[in-house]
Amino acid sequence: MTERIVIVGAGTGGIVLANNLAEELATEIDAGDIEVQLVNDGEDHVYKPTWLYVPFGEKTLADATRPLVDLVDDRIDLTIDRVDGVDTDDKTVSLAGAGVDESYDHLVLAMGAQVTPEETPGLAEGGHHFYGPEGAAALRDELAEFTEGHLVVSVVGVPHMCPVAPLEFALMADAWFRDRGLREDVDITYTYPIGRAHGIESVAEWAGPLMDDRDVEVETFFNAERVDPDTKTIHTVEGRELDYDLLVAIPPHDGSDLVREAGLGDDGWVDVDPNTLEARGADDVYALGDVADLPTSKAGSAAHYAAGALADRLASIARGERPTAEYDGKTVCFIESGTDEATYIAFDYEESPTPKPPSKLIHWSKLGYNRSYWLTARGVL
Amino acid sequence: MSETDERADVTVDAVGSSCPGPLMDLIGKMKSVESGTVVELLSSNEGTEKDLTEWTEQSGHELVDIVDHGDHQSYYVRKR
């Protein structure tokens, strides 16, 4: 009888998992003993870190996407459809477009995170963001016209995708305005919800003096409650007000209604074992990447390494062997600290990160990785 | 176990969340409740007390009680 592995979502986690399984289980798939189905609600794979560069005119939206058919191994059954229900008792997922239920023996949820600016009153009307293609393009147009005034980079929601991106945006904006000879006419303020510039203490300790050196004002314990688009004012839970001319906000994020409705996580993130990635609410269900409630960053890097470990586990399980591979929380993140320099952090569940001194070499390594990312998606890197 | 006379109007369960998750869960709830509401935050994270103390001092919301349950704590915060 054929063993069916169904993966929902073809972001970094889903696609790396599918391609790794195709390689590890090639013999079994070719023999018809195992099927791997990858379901995605669009025809393209998206490399979201590209969006950070779009507002500064350094990348285009087209740079962020490739057709899935060009990236996914031929051994994978690629299905373009939206999964609108999961029944963990019957072990089925329902496909909205086809109107059918697909059975699974092993299910991997990898739908990522959604941005929900509408959760904060006035934010959608009064602010911009770079956490989606339309937002990044609109911000590019706005920045191109912005020659003076107060730019506020405000982290409204935590957790959010790519935890270092807000710092990167503030530092890149500083350098970008300097490069254009406009910095003296632009004030930049960066706000963060807790009492330091970043959730990870070592990153906050690194960023604080750097922001000071770049003349970027840092406001901590700053939690936007509502935005008034008419007066261009942010009102916070702490009772403070901050006026802006251009607001770049990191919107609140949400997991998935699918997760809530399936009883896999009340807050929309799948409650999983952090090492095995097995859902605690059902048998034979796993979660990968941003949708998993893991004590590490919601970042493609974490999804990439977790996908490698889960591929090893699932391949063992599908062969009837005892799985031994585990995800240790490994994450590696580049951090742009200007327009021509960057640093990086590497960490896991046990080891805290230590940012290295920024350099042009690391910046160019980051740009090189952006180009070679498509090899990661193919499961090569 | 400590005893408290404080009664929560709402409870936010963040047991098991790592820093700054518990504080963020509390702040998220504080956005949606009325002035005077007492929110109970359940947390097992050792950094929560320091974060929460600093945040309430800055924000003016009142940290009215802390109850130790052994493996986790209850923090009672009244919205100003």
Side-chain angles (χ1 to χ4, degrees):
Chain A
M1 194 161 156
T2 305
E3 193 97 338
R4 279 179 51 77
I5 301 171
V6 176
I7 305 165
V8 183
T12 298
I15 201 169
V16 171
L17 175 67
N19 282 331
N20 283 6
L21 286 173
E23 185 175 339
E24 293 198 37
L25 296 170
T27 304
E28 290 84 352
I29 294 171
D30 289 345
D33 296 334
I34 293 174
E35 288 178 357
V36 181
Q37 183 178 23
L38 176 62
V39 186
N40 196 60
D41 61 2
E43 294 186 349
D44 289 328
H45 177 72
V46 181
Y47 183 47
K48 295 179 180 179
T50 307
W51 294 334
L52 173 66
Y53 299 89
V54 170
F56 301 108
E58 294 180 10
K59 293 279 184 185
T60 67
L61 294 179
D63 292 332
T65 64
R66 293 281 190 282
L68 280 167
V69 290
D70 294 345
L71 299 171
V72 177
D73 191 290
D74 290 342
R75 289 186 174 88
I76 303 299
D77 172 10
L78 176 62
T79 302
I80 307 302
D81 207 330
R82 186 170 59 84
V83 172
D84 65 353
V86 174
D87 187 328
T88 58
D89 293 325
D90 286 349
K91 299 183 79 168
T92 59
V93 296
S94 56
L95 301 184
V100 297
D101 291 345
E102 296 269 22
S103 65
Y104 66 80
D105 295 293
H106 311 281
L107 174 66
V108 182
L109 298 177
M111 302 90 75
Q114 326 302 322
V115 293
T116 56
E118 65 280 2
E119 275 189 15
T120 304
L123 181 59
E125 302 81 9
H128 286 79
H129 71 80
F130 56 91
Y131 274 68
E134 295 84 7
L139 180 53
R140 175 197 59 211
D141 297 343
E142 196 70 23
L143 267 183
E145 299 291 326
F146 190 77
T147 55
E148 61 178 353
H150 189 198
L151 169 65
V152 175
V153 181
S154 182
V155 179
V156 175
V158 175
H160 58 79
M161 292 181 272
C162 194
V164 295
L167 283 172
E168 291 182 288
F169 189 90
L171 293 168
M172 289 172 75
D174 162 70
W176 191 73
F177 283 117
R178 282 183 203 279
D179 293 345
R180 300 174 70 215
L182 299 170
R183 186 63 177 90
E184 288 187 358
D185 300 319
V186 177
D187 294 320
I188 302 177
T189 299
Y190 168 92
T191 80
Y192 203 72
I194 61 171
R196 53 182 185 264
H198 194 267
I200 299 172
E201 282 197 55
S202 60
V203 174
E205 287 168 8
W206 167 80
L210 190 61
M211 302 287 253
D212 196 34
D213 189 47
R214 304 283 177 86
D215 201 22
V216 175
E217 193 75 26
V218 176
E219 296 274 354
T220 58
F221 283 129
F222 189 98
N223 289 276
E225 188 168 43
R226 63 186 173 88
V227 174
D228 186 332
D230 297 326
T231 60
K232 294 193 169 183
T233 308
I234 308 167
H235 300 266
T236 77
V237 178
E238 291 78 17
R240 284 150 63 190
E241 294 179 4
L242 184 65
D243 293 334
Y244 66 87
D245 294 301
L246 175 56
L247 171 61
V248 179
I250 284 54
H253 283 43
D254 191 21
S256 166
D257 286 339
L258 208 63
V259 171
R260 279 184 275 264
E261 288 161 8
L264 295 168
D266 293 341
D267 51 9
W269 314 112
V270 184
D271 183 17
V272 293
D273 180 300
N275 297 118
T276 66
L277 306 172
E278 291 179 55
R280 292 194 168 104
D283 293 332
D284 302 313
V285 178
Y286 302 79
L288 188 57
D290 293 350
V291 80
D293 191 6
L294 291 173
T296 188
S297 298
K298 293 196 181 302
S301 165
H304 172 197
Y305 291 115
L310 186 55
D312 289 346
R313 290 189 69 82
L314 281 174
S316 298
I317 292 166
R319 289 194 203 101
E321 302 163 358
R322 183 187 176 91
T324 55
E326 292 195 341
Y327 176 53
D328 61 2
K330 183 177 179 183
T331 309
V332 180
C333 297
F334 285 101
I335 309 174
E336 294 282 16
S337 52
T339 49
D340 67 350
E341 63 171 34
T343 180
Y344 73 95
I345 46 175
F347 54 101
D348 57 33
Y349 292 145
E350 302 297 326
E351 187 182 351
S352 297
T354 305
K356 309 293 182 289
S359 71
K360 290 186 179 182
L361 180 65
I362 301 175
H363 168 69
W364 288 106
S365 299
K366 166 62 174 167
L367 296 187
Y369 179 76
N370 285 347
R371 293 256 177 181
S372 60
Y373 167 75
W374 306 106
L375 295 175
T376 295
R378 288 191 181 95
V380 177
L381 284 180
Chain B
M1 185 187 291
S2 306
E3 295 296 332
T4 180
D5 293 331
E6 199 56 60
R7 291 289 177 268
D9 300 302
V10 197
T11 296
V12 176
D13 186 351
V15 172
S17 293
S18 55
C19 178
L23 180 63
M24 295 313 302
D25 289 350
L26 173 76
I27 292 171
K29 180 56 71 179
M30 294 290 272
K31 289 180 182 179
S32 64
V33 299
E34 298 293 320
S35 178
T37 303
V38 175
V39 180
E40 177 190 22
L41 172 67
L42 306 178
S43 173
S44 54
N45 187 275
E46 58 186 23
T48 296
E49 184 167 343
K50 177 174 175 288
D51 285 349
L52 190 52
T53 302
E54 286 182 18
W55 181 72
T56 49
E57 283 174 2
Q58 289 233 356
S59 64
H61 302 300
E62 185 186 2
L63 176 57
V64 289
D65 204 358
I66 303 173
V67 178
D68 187 357
H69 301 289
D71 59 348
H72 70 279
Q73 288 73 42
S74 288
Y75 300 90
Y76 293 87
V77 181
R78 180 180 287 113
K79 184 167 180 174
R80 69 191 169 108

